[in-house]
Coordinates of all heavy atoms in Angstrom, one line a residue:
S35 N 13.6 -2.2 -20.6 CA 13.0 -2.4 -19.3 C 11.5 -2.3 -19.3 O 10.8 -2.8 -18.4 CB 13.5 -1.2 -18.4 OG 14.9 -1.1 -18.5
L36 N 11.0 -1.7 -20.4 CA 9.5 -1.4 -20.4 C 8.7 -2.3 -21.3 O 7.6 -2.7 -21.0 CB 9.4 0.1 -21.0 CG 8.0 0.7 -21.0 CD1 7.5 0.9 -19.6 CD2 8.1 2.1 -21.6
L37 N 9.4 -2.8 -22.4 CA 8.6 -3.6 -23.4 C 9.3 -4.9 -23.7 O 10.5 -5.0 -23.7 CB 8.5 -2.7 -24.7 CG 7.8 -1.4 -24.6 CD1 8.1 -0.5 -25.8 CD2 6.3 -1.6 -24.4
P38 N 8.6 -6.0 -24.1 CA 7.1 -6.0 -24.1 C 6.5 -6.0 -22.7 O 5.3 -5.8 -22.5 CB 6.8 -7.3 -24.8 CG 8.0 -8.2 -24.6 CD 9.2 -7.3 -24.5
G39 N 7.4 -6.1 -21.7 CA 7.0 -5.9 -20.3 C 6.2 -7.0 -19.7 O 6.1 -8.1 -20.3
G40 N 5.6 -6.7 -18.6 CA 4.9 -7.8 -17.8 C 3.5 -7.8 -18.1 O 3.0 -7.6 -19.2
K41 N 2.7 -8.1 -17.1 CA 1.3 -8.4 -17.2 C 0.4 -7.2 -17.5 O -0.7 -7.3 -17.9 CB 0.8 -9.1 -16.0 CG 1.6 -10.4 -15.7 CD 1.1 -11.0 -14.4 CE 1.7 -10.4 -13.1 NZ 3.1 -10.4 -12.9
K42 N 0.9 -6.0 -17.2 CA 0.2 -4.8 -17.3 C -1.1 -4.8 -16.4 O -2.2 -4.3 -16.8 CB -0.2 -4.5 -18.8 CG 1.0 -4.5 -19.8 CD 1.7 -3.2 -19.6 CE 2.8 -3.0 -20.6 NZ 4.0 -3.8 -20.5
I43 N -0.9 -5.4 -15.3 CA -2.1 -5.6 -14.4 C -2.6 -4.3 -13.8 O -3.8 -4.1 -13.6 CB -1.8 -6.6 -13.3 CG1 -3.0 -7.3 -12.8 CG2 -0.9 -6.1 -12.2 CD1 -2.9 -8.7 -12.5
R44 N -1.7 -3.3 -13.6 CA -2.2 -2.0 -13.1 C -3.1 -1.3 -14.1 O -4.0 -0.6 -13.7 CB -1.0 -1.2 -12.6 CG -0.3 -1.8 -11.4 CD 1.2 -1.5 -11.3 NE 1.9 -2.3 -10.3 CZ 2.3 -3.6 -10.5 NH1 2.1 -4.2 -11.7 NH2 2.9 -4.2 -9.5
S45 N -2.7 -1.4 -15.4 CA -3.5 -0.8 -16.5 C -4.8 -1.5 -16.6 O -5.9 -0.9 -16.8 CB -2.8 -1.0 -17.8 OG -1.5 -0.3 -17.8
K46 N -4.8 -2.9 -16.4 CA -6.1 -3.6 -16.5 C -7.0 -3.2 -15.4 O -8.2 -3.0 -15.6 CB -5.7 -5.1 -16.3 CG -7.0 -6.0 -16.3 CD -7.6 -6.1 -17.7 CE -8.7 -7.2 -17.8 NZ -9.8 -7.1 -17.0

Side-chain angles (χ1 to χ4, degrees):
S35 315
L36 187 62
L37 299 166
K41 300 175 286 296
K42 305 283 186 288
I43 202 141
R44 292 151 190 83
S45 298
K46 177 70 168 64

